[in-house]
Amino acid sequence: MKPATIEAAGRHDVPASCRNCGTAVNGHYCAACGQETRLHMPSLGEFVHEFVGHYVALEGRLWRTLALLLFRPGALTNEYLAGRRRRYVEPLRLYLSLSILFFALMKLSGTDVVQFSTGDDAHGKPAATQAAKPGALVIGDADDLPADMPRHTTLPTPLEKLAPGLRESIDRFDRLSMQQKSEILRASFFRYAPYAMFCLMPLFALYLKLLYLGTGRRYGEHVLFALHTNAFAFVLFGAFLVMPEGFLKFVLFCWLLVYLPWSMRRVYRKSGWGTAWRWLLLVGLHGLSLTVAVVVALGLGVAFTH
């Protein structure tokens, strides 16, 4: 039997039938399954293009999507709700792609997720009380704590009954060196934080649903808005990681502050005051949820310490 082959890159003959489903063809695509009829062995560049295009939509849709997402708050959500969808990257794909890029950049940049402080500074103050880099969780050494403060975490009795192994995990973690603790928490953050952030999207949408009760907006519309606004946040925070301190970084920070209320005003069409108080509540609720999510992600690293 003759082995199955496809033409070399230079041949352009159209076969009599589709190689995928066997239907008779007379054009460049099969009318039954949609597969191309003129096939050739793909080059390395075509493999890379197909891979990147699958995850990030490398074609013109990406640039149109980013232009609206970054420079016209809420416009991308309105375009999707208006039914103009084929010209833009799908919301979930956009969110996941930018999320992956952000956490990869954060890991490569060596950003401190957790800082352990030991010893005293030049003024005699415990180092655990000194300012840390923005966004880092500071944990002091037990020797730096006041004499009347317990050296080990005391779990509530009901929690110990629900998770009897948690006490042992915390004790094992306490016995590790500061460097080992930092490595465990850093690895835990990058392992679980992306999933935690994604799980917050339905909760973010629920906050919006409650804040806009009576507007007739469906829950799916709030999920769409959540995906777009959080995708924007990944881009801005990624820029913060690589950008030096200066005026441009201050401008981006200001843009981050006004982006969400501007998006809410454009999508939900409420008054300035109606948007302002909803924005404040949304930021407070989401900030609390975000803090809990990060703590849970770090706690999972402690719970699974070996």
Side-chain angles (χ1 to χ4, degrees):
M1 179 180 294
K2 184 179 178 180
T5 59
I6 59 178
E7 290 90 341
R11 293 190 57 182
H12 300 286
D13 297 334
V14 177
S17 60
C18 175
R19 294 177 178 81
N20 183 56
C21 64
T23 303
V25 295
N26 58 4
H28 297 324
Y29 296 91
C30 174
C33 68
Q35 178 173 287
E36 290 181 295
T37 56
R38 295 189 303 179
L39 302 178
H40 65 272
M41 185 62 66
S43 64
L44 176 61
E46 289 173 319
F47 273 122
V48 173
H49 183 277
E50 180 180 356
F51 174 80
V52 177
H54 176 72
Y55 287 101
V56 224
L58 189 61
E59 310 300 336
R61 293 192 303 160
L62 175 62
W63 311 120
R64 285 193 295 268
T65 301
L66 290 178
L68 283 188
L69 180 71
L70 298 179
F71 305 113
R72 296 187 59 193
L76 186 59
T77 302
N78 281 339
E79 286 285 284
Y80 193 92
L81 293 175
R84 293 183 286 271
R85 304 178 181 182
R86 288 291 297 172
R87 65 185 72 174
Y88 304 109
V89 180
E90 293 85 351
L92 184 58
R93 175 182 291 187
L94 179 68
Y95 172 88
L96 292 176
S97 300
L98 294 177
S99 171
I100 292 171
L101 290 175
F102 168 74
F103 282 105
L105 182 62
M106 189 177 182
K107 190 170 186 178
L108 291 174
S109 66
T111 303
D112 290 325
V113 177
V114 176
Q115 293 181 7
F116 286 92
S117 300
T118 59
D120 296 341
D121 69 349
H123 302 286
K125 296 180 180 179
T129 66
Q130 302 305 303
K133 295 182 180 179
L137 176 64
V138 180
I139 302 178
D141 192 353
D143 294 334
D144 298 328
L145 299 177
D148 58 345
M149 184 176 293
R151 265 41 178 184
H152 298 282
T153 304
T154 302
L155 295 176
T157 302
L159 184 57
E160 287 187 324
K161 291 181 179 179
L162 290 174
L166 189 57
R167 177 74 270 167
E168 289 78 5
S169 297
I170 294 177
D171 289 338
R172 277 198 305 272
F173 185 79
D174 281 338
R175 290 192 293 268
L176 299 176
S177 67
M178 289 300 171
Q179 182 178 357
Q180 290 174 319
K181 291 177 181 179
S182 180
E183 291 174 354
I184 287 175
L185 293 180
R186 178 178 172 83
S188 177
F189 177 85
F190 287 110
R191 180 179 301 169
Y192 300 112
Y195 300 103
M197 299 299 105
F198 181 73
C199 290
L200 288 181
M201 290 304 95
L203 188 58
F204 189 93
L206 178 61
Y207 295 150
L208 287 167
K209 179 69 175 177
L210 296 175
L211 290 172
Y212 287 97
L213 282 176
T215 61
R217 296 277 185 174
R218 292 170 295 181
Y219 181 71
E221 298 178 56
H222 302 303
V223 173
L224 173 67
F225 183 83
L227 291 173
H228 282 158
T229 52
N230 282 271
F232 167 83
F234 282 131
V235 176
L236 263 287
F237 285 127
F240 288 153
L241 291 176
V242 299
M243 187 173 296
E245 298 294 333
F247 177 73
L248 184 56
K249 195 168 187 178
F250 173 74
V251 171
L252 289 182
F253 177 75
C254 293
W255 184 235
L256 178 65
L257 287 181
V258 303
Y259 186 91
L260 182 57
W262 194 342
S263 297
M264 295 169 66
R265 179 75 182 272
R266 175 171 278 165
V267 172
Y268 295 100
R269 297 182 176 88
K270 289 293 183 180
S271 66
W273 168 246
T275 299
W277 72 262
R278 287 179 172 89
W279 169 65
L280 290 173
L281 278 177
L282 180 62
V283 169
L285 291 171
H286 186 59
L288 179 61
S289 302
L290 190 62
T291 302
V292 172
V294 171
V295 171
V296 170
L298 296 178
L300 288 174
V302 176
F304 294 114
T305 300
H306 298 293

